[in-house]
């Protein structure tokens, strides 16, 4: 029977390890995403102005949920990132002498609570800094759009996968199946995104941002008023999540044999 | 302590790296795991440690299936991979964090071993050179007092002094309750240390014998002193035991086992199939 004090100590150490090993990479993505949030707000404002006189309806709760979803996505990316190192990283939790339940619980806690809060904190701070310095909420993203680079922003998680895939290929000891899958998934993503860049910008659709797209898709899917609407959003959801789903599938499919 | 029953292991069912391995490894021994590149040494260590699940057959470590990664089993096993990648934290933080999971971790022993390796760095662990990372992790692994310690190429990257220290420390740490497995290409670094060898070739264990058995059944020496060598290379030769007790030359034995003409006779002699004079 596990001693409660020891169990608690192991659990908190696992959390500490997850956070200490991942904080840098987690910080990068929300920092970059935060730059885009003024644009999201501005786009909503424009859309609302065009269609009705409704007020800005993006709430803190929405953002928190968005950050949560985004956190989950990033954590999935991190999981795939870690797979490349798990074979050799002695600090991987895989072989730590603790119960599988504690390992699982600590991962879930990090994915569901700690990382989203952490992400959102950084996100909010940088958002404030951006507004404070620019004075204009959407200036940075407007610039990006002008240059036609907007697709880069939602693709950031995939860029990380792409980077890791190449890194994996560089190291001969790593599993090429995972690496190739990563590259194919990235290719699929870019194929999907690039043709839509123009329409996104022209129509000023709010969901140009990956995390927000995903969040909205889930939300609309579950609250759809008609089958057609649900179907459309389901397709959108699939388009946006398919690469990640497939990549995650590949990760778990090959995990046991790869580690 | 470790049992393999018809073990087939690898990363793809169609292309197993190891097939139908059967053996039993006992405590109080330091096993040398020898084999060519890609022969499956690391795969075997991964399988024993529970990193990968067997494709077929069974593995038992302390009467437990290692791929279940049970807490009790993992407390008694520590694996040092070839590429030791450590997190960006100080040595002290690492020990504080990771010793939490190892109730028998001995901090004094850890310090003692580090001192013997002349390890006095204050850098973050990920900034250390490969050799220093290995020294650090060797000390951590041994101080954990785990019963089973798996080393994958432990001397690769160590300087000459550290290799000597490694041998000394391992010789002191082995006892009747512990078992060390060392996978290596650098046989000369560890041959004095080993109590048994396991040679993997063509996905199989072709030889498993104690060093005493090898020394009794085979003679190593200059070509001139061995009347009918089973295998010779330069001035060195290996022949049937002739009552002399010679120092085992593992490199020569390894070469002989990879030579088509001498391989089978040597396997027969070591397995006792061929009677000696």
């Amino acid at each position: 029977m596990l001693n409660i004090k020891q169990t608690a100590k192991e659990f908190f150490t696992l959390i500490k390890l997850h956070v200490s090993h991942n904080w840098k990479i987690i910080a990068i993505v929300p920092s970059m995403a935060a730059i885009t949030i003024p644009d999201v707000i501005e786009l909503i404002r424009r859309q609302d102005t065009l269609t009705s006189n409704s007020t800005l309806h993006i709430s803190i709760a929405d953002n928190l949920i968005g950050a949560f979803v985004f956190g989950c996505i990033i954590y999935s990316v991190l999981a795939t990132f870690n797979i490349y190192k798990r074979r050799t990283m002695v600090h991987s939790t895989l072989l730590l002498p603790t119960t599988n339940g504690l390992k699982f619980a600590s991962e879930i806690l990090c994915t569901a609570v700690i990382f989203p809060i952490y992400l959102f904190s950084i996100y909010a701070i940088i958002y404030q800094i951006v507004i404070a310095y620019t004075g204009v909420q959407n200036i940075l993203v407007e610039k990006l759009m002008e240059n036609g680079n907007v697709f880069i922003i939602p693709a950031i998680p995939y860029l990380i996968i792409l980077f890791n895939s190449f890194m994996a290929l560089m190291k001969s000891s790593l599993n090429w199946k995972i690496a190739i899958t990563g590259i194919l998934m990235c290719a699929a993503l870019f194929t999907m995104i690039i043709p839509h860049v123009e329409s996104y910008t022209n129509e000023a659709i709010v969901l140009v941002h990956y995390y927000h797209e995903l969040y909205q898709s889930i939300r609309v899917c579950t609250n759809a008023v008609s089958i057609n609407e649900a179907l459309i959003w389901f397709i959108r959801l699939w388009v946006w999540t398919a690469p990640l789903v497939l990549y995650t599938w590949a990760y778990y499919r090959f995990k046991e044999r790869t580690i | 302590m470790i049992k393999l029953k018809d073990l087939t292991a690898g990363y793809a069912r169609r292309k197993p790296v190891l097939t139908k391995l059967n053996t039993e490894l006992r405590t109080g021994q330091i096993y040398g795991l020898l084999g060519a590149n890609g022969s499956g040494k690391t795969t075997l260590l991964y399988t024993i440690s529970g990193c990968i699940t067997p494709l077929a057959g069974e593995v038992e470590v302390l009467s437990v299936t290692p791929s279940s990664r049970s807490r009790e089993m993992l407390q008694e096993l520590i694996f040092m991979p070839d590429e030791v990648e450590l997190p960006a934290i100080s040595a002290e933080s690492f020990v504080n964090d990771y010793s939490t999971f190892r109730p028998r971790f001995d901090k004094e022993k850890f310090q003692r071993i580090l001192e013997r390796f002349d390890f006095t760095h204050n850098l973050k662990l990920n900034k250390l050179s490969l050799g220093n990372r290995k020294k650090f992790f060797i000390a951590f692994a041994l101080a954990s007092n785990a019963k089973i310690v798996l080393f994958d190429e432990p001397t690769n990257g160590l300087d000459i002094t550290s290799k000597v220290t490694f041998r000394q420390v391992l010789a002191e740490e082995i006892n009747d309750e512990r078992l060390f497995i060392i996978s290596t290409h650098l046989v000369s670094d560890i041959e004095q240390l080993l109590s048994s060898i396991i040679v993997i070739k063509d996905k199989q264990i072709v030889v498993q014998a104690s060093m005493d058995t090898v020394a009794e059944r085979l003679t190593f020496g200059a070509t001139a002193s061995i009347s009918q060598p089973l295998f010779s290379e330069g001035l060195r030769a290996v022949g049937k035991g002739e009552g002399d007790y010679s120092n085992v030359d593992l490199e020569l034995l390894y070469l002989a086992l990879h030579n088509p003409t001498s391989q089978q006779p040597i396997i027969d002699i070591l397995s006792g199939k061929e009677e000696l004079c």
Side-chain angles (χ1 to χ4, degrees):
Chain A
M1 196 67 180
L2 272 179
N3 175 316
I4 293 176
K5 195 177 164 189
Q6 175 64 17
T7 306
K9 199 175 165 189
E10 288 182 9
F11 185 67
F12 286 115
T13 310
L14 278 169
I15 299 285
K16 186 181 165 190
L17 295 178
H18 284 306
V19 174
S20 67
H21 294 160
N22 295 321
W23 72 269
K24 279 184 191 167
I25 194 161
I26 299 171
I28 294 167
V29 181
S31 304
M32 296 183 79
I35 296 168
T36 71
I37 200 171
D39 184 57
V40 176
I41 294 170
E42 183 59 23
L43 289 172
I44 292 170
R45 198 197 301 276
R46 284 184 199 172
Q47 194 180 35
D48 287 344
T49 310
L50 286 173
T51 55
S52 69
N53 58 357
S54 60
T55 54
L56 193 68
H57 60 259
I58 198 161
S59 65
I60 291 173
D62 278 346
N63 263 331
L64 276 172
I65 297 166
F68 166 73
V69 173
F70 192 56
C72 294
I73 295 163
I74 297 307
Y75 197 68
S76 305
V77 175
L78 286 172
T80 56
F81 175 76
N82 278 340
I83 190 70
Y84 302 124
K85 285 195 165 184
R86 270 192 181 173
R87 259 191 186 187
T88 51
M89 273 166 72
V90 292
H91 61 280
S92 153
T93 56
L94 188 78
L95 293 182
L96 272 184
T98 185
T99 61
N100 291 322
L102 276 186
K103 287 178 197 172
F104 181 71
S106 64
E107 293 229 6
I108 291 292
L109 186 68
C110 284
T111 310
V113 183
I114 296 175
F115 288 159
I117 291 172
Y118 176 64
L119 279 166
F120 187 69
S121 306
I122 296 171
Y123 188 89
I125 291 165
I126 296 176
Y127 169 47
Q128 291 302 326
I129 294 169
V130 169
I131 292 173
Y133 273 89
T134 61
V136 182
Q137 293 195 347
N138 63 341
I139 188 164
L140 289 174
V141 176
E142 288 282 9
K143 290 282 177 196
L144 281 171
M145 283 180 174
E146 280 170 20
N147 296 328
N149 292 326
V150 73
F151 68 91
I152 290 172
I153 298 161
I156 286 167
Y158 292 94
L159 286 172
I160 294 171
I161 294 177
L162 186 66
F163 172 75
N164 290 324
S165 304
F166 279 120
M167 288 296 285
L169 277 182
M170 302 270 284
K171 290 191 172 187
S172 57
S173 63
L174 298 167
N175 192 319
W176 62 269
K177 286 177 190 167
I178 297 280
I180 296 291
T181 313
I183 290 166
L184 288 176
M185 291 305 106
C186 289
L189 174 96
F190 288 121
T191 315
M192 285 186 288
I193 286 181
I194 290 167
H196 296 290
V197 172
E198 200 182 345
S199 65
Y200 283 142
T201 52
N202 288 347
E203 293 167 20
I205 294 170
V206 177
L207 311 174
V208 291
H209 304 276
Y210 178 79
Y211 70 95
H212 208 73
E213 174 82 18
L214 183 60
Y215 155 63
Q216 287 282 31
S217 303
I218 294 165
R219 202 178 66 163
V220 178
C221 253
T222 51
N223 297 300
V225 289
S226 69
I227 292 171
N228 283 348
E229 191 183 352
L231 192 64
I232 289 163
W233 280 101
F234 180 77
I235 292 166
R236 283 191 176 187
L237 179 67
W238 172 247
V239 166
W240 281 94
T241 56
L244 199 68
V245 168
L246 290 172
Y247 195 77
T248 310
W249 170 83
Y251 162 63
Y252 284 106
R253 170 68 181 77
F254 298 118
K255 185 172 80 165
E256 272 196 341
R257 295 174 190 174
T258 310
I259 297 161
Chain B
M1 190 170 254
I2 297 175
K3 282 183 192 171
L4 312 181
K5 290 180 198 166
D6 293 327
L7 172 72
T8 298
Y11 306 96
R13 206 164 283 279
R14 287 179 203 163
K15 290 182 186 172
V17 180
L18 300 164
T19 51
K20 300 260 178 193
L21 302 192
N22 285 288
T23 190
E24 196 168 334
L25 309 181
R26 297 176 189 283
T27 52
Q29 304 278 315
I30 301 178
Y31 289 92
L33 191 56
L34 314 177
N37 292 331
S39 60
K41 302 185 297 293
T42 303
T43 305
L44 182 58
L45 294 185
Y46 282 151
T47 311
I48 292 172
S49 67
C51 271
I52 57 173
T53 49
L55 299 175
E58 291 174 31
V59 190
E60 272 185 24
V61 175
L62 299 163
S63 308
V64 175
T65 305
S67 55
S68 66
R69 296 171 196 148
S70 76
R71 188 175 189 268
E72 292 70 24
M73 191 276 293
L74 290 174
Q75 276 181 350
E76 297 298 350
L77 183 146
I78 191 158
F79 174 45
M80 180 179 143
D82 182 14
E83 293 173 44
V84 180
E85 291 199 28
L86 295 167
I89 55 176
S90 68
E92 193 183 350
S93 301
F94 184 94
V95 171
N96 287 338
D97 288 346
Y98 287 83
S99 63
T100 303
F101 302 97
R102 298 198 175 270
R104 295 204 308 280
F105 187 83
D106 184 340
K107 285 189 180 174
E108 283 179 16
K109 185 192 278 186
F110 174 70
Q111 283 304 333
R112 266 200 320 273
I113 298 172
L114 280 188
E115 280 167 21
R116 291 180 65 175
F117 275 121
D118 284 329
F119 182 96
T120 51
H121 302 279
N122 293 319
L123 293 170
K124 285 189 173 178
L125 296 174
N126 64 328
K127 302 287 180 196
L128 295 172
S129 66
L130 174 67
N132 280 322
R133 289 198 305 256
K134 288 208 165 177
K135 288 179 201 175
F136 176 85
F137 200 75
I138 288 167
F140 184 85
L142 294 172
S144 72
N145 286 315
K147 286 182 180 168
I148 299 170
V149 188
L150 311 176
F151 295 100
D152 194 1
E153 301 288 352
T155 56
N156 180 20
L158 293 185
D159 55 46
I160 296 169
T161 321
S162 302
K163 284 177 183 176
V164 175
T165 309
F166 174 72
R167 287 196 292 265
Q168 289 169 345
V169 172
L170 247 67
E172 290 162 17
E173 285 295 318
I174 190 71
N175 59 40
D176 289 345
E177 291 189 341
R178 300 184 89 177
L179 179 160
F180 299 155
I181 303 178
I182 305 172
S183 159
T184 190
H185 295 289
L186 307 169
V187 285
S188 57
D189 288 344
I190 56 159
E191 65 187 357
Q192 301 155 336
L193 184 70
L194 301 177
S195 37
S196 293
I197 54 163
I198 298 169
V199 182
I200 297 179
K201 188 173 183 284
D202 299 330
K203 303 179 182 180
Q204 301 277 336
I205 293 177
V206 289
V207 167
Q208 181 176 348
S210 72
M211 290 295 269
D212 290 342
T213 306
V214 177
E216 280 167 19
R217 291 174 180 264
L218 295 172
T219 302
F220 299 85
T223 317
S225 68
I226 297 173
S227 52
Q228 287 184 312
L230 292 165
F231 176 77
S232 60
E233 184 251 359
L235 283 175
R236 299 184 302 165
V238 54
K240 288 184 185 179
E242 292 163 351
D244 297 332
Y245 191 94
S246 56
N247 285 331
V248 175
D249 183 339
L250 273 187
E251 193 176 280
L252 190 64
L253 176 63
Y254 181 83
L255 290 173
L257 283 168
H258 284 75
N259 181 287
T261 51
S262 57
Q263 179 189 334
Q264 198 54 47
I266 288 180
I267 291 171
D268 289 344
I269 290 169
L270 289 176
S271 63
K273 283 182 189 167
E274 184 176 325
E275 287 302 315
L276 298 174
C277 307

